[in-house]
Amino acid sequence: MAATPIAVITGASSGIGAATARQLAAAGYRVVLTARRKDRIEALATELTEAGHQATAYALDVTDRAAVDEFATAFRSLAVLVNNAGGALGADPVATGDPADWRQMYETNVIGTLNVTQALLPALTGSGDGTIVILSSTAGHSTYEGGGGYVAAKHGEHVLAETLRLEIVGTPVRVIEVAPGMVRTEEFATTRFRGDTEKAAKVYAGVDAPLSADDVADTITWAVTRPSHVNIDLLVVRPRAQASNSKVHRTL
């Protein structure tokens, strides 16, 4: 009997990461949930296990390279890595943006993705059929006012995916980039505005149906479960109401 394929999901404590873990578990993967919030991922692992799936929680800060390297020693073979950990801080213009926010976004979105990808690439290659998913953003493909730091980080993440794909072509590892547009989750905008729920709500005001975490997770799961020879290089997914980062239909 073939071993159950393993999928590692970073940032699995909420939002897209948690939704992806649920959907990959339902698709037959043994999911390894990582995030800094141990209580959240342990609760999710319990939920999935009680539903008859295979799930393990592992508290991890993707910006801590030593911790990431230690985590990676557990895997000799790995089917899927979903680099989901990331996020945005602030919406200040370039002229007044806080360099500490820019640095933190770069560390989490780019260096965190680099750390985990480098550490787990041997196991993904060793599986003979590995898949790396990098969850970027439409912010990684076009700019918008007030998004400078986040846009810069997501452009970096996009280029990481694009370059890695060129460099490892010929190996049994796919590199998939999924770039969501407007997604309404319980934490993304609230975190960006440091707990200001009123500002967070304005992001989605008047938008009939932003994407949900499940919408994006469904997209990720679809891309991962394509036949091995099929590589979804880049998949941009937006709600119908959003034509671009700065063009959104609102009913107010």
Side-chain angles (χ1 to χ4, degrees):
M1 180 181 295
T4 303
I6 301 170
V8 170
I9 302 102
T10 69
S13 59
S14 67
I16 293 169
T20 300
R22 290 186 178 99
Q23 293 201 27
L24 287 177
Y29 289 88
R30 178 161 76 85
V31 293
V32 180
L33 319 172
T34 75
R36 290 174 297 177
R37 293 180 293 186
K38 186 178 180 182
D39 58 332
R40 291 281 195 103
I41 53 173
E42 286 182 342
L44 179 55
T46 298
E47 172 200 318
L48 293 172
T49 301
E50 289 178 349
H53 304 305
Q54 298 181 57
T56 305
Y58 190 102
L60 183 67
D61 179 349
V62 297
T63 67
D64 183 340
R65 183 55 186 258
V68 170
D69 286 341
E70 175 64 25
F71 168 69
T73 62
F75 304 95
R76 282 186 291 182
S77 179
L78 180 64
V80 176
L81 166 61
V82 179
N83 283 296
N84 168 72
L89 288 174
D92 300 312
V94 171
T96 57
D98 186 343
D101 287 347
W102 283 55
R103 187 172 295 110
Q104 186 173 338
M105 285 186 281
Y106 190 85
E107 286 287 336
T108 305
N109 290 280
V110 183
I111 303 302
T113 295
L114 178 67
N115 284 341
V116 180
T117 300
Q118 285 184 336
L120 291 175
L121 187 56
L124 287 153
T125 306
S127 74
D129 188 15
T131 299
I132 297 169
V133 178
I134 293 179
L135 194 77
S136 63
S137 167
T138 53
H141 299 270
S142 61
T143 61
Y144 60 93
E145 293 168 287
Y150 182 61
V151 166
K154 285 301 185 181
H155 269 70
E157 202 170 13
H158 161 63
V159 170
L160 188 162
E162 199 170 57
T163 306
L164 178 63
R165 190 181 302 112
L166 292 171
E167 292 172 345
I168 67 171
V169 66
T171 72
V173 179
R174 302 182 293 185
V175 180
I176 295 169
E177 180 185 354
V178 176
M182 180 181 285
V183 185
R184 185 168 198 163
T185 63
E186 66 268 31
E187 293 186 318
F188 180 83
T190 303
T191 299
R192 183 171 201 166
F193 295 111
R194 306 181 199 284
D196 189 327
T197 55
E198 186 175 340
K199 277 188 178 179
K202 287 180 180 178
V203 173
Y204 312 102
V207 180
D208 180 47
L211 296 177
S212 68
D214 283 332
D215 292 329
V216 181
D218 183 58
T219 300
I220 292 169
T221 302
W222 175 83
V224 165
T225 54
R226 294 311 85 207
S228 298
H229 70 287
V230 178
N231 195 100
I232 309 300
D233 282 17
L234 170 63
L235 201 162
V236 176
V237 53
R238 305 181 195 265
R240 186 172 63 188
Q242 184 183 33
S244 74
N245 287 346
S246 56
K247 180 71 171 181
V248 180
H249 177 71
R250 300 178 190 269
T251 304
L252 298 171

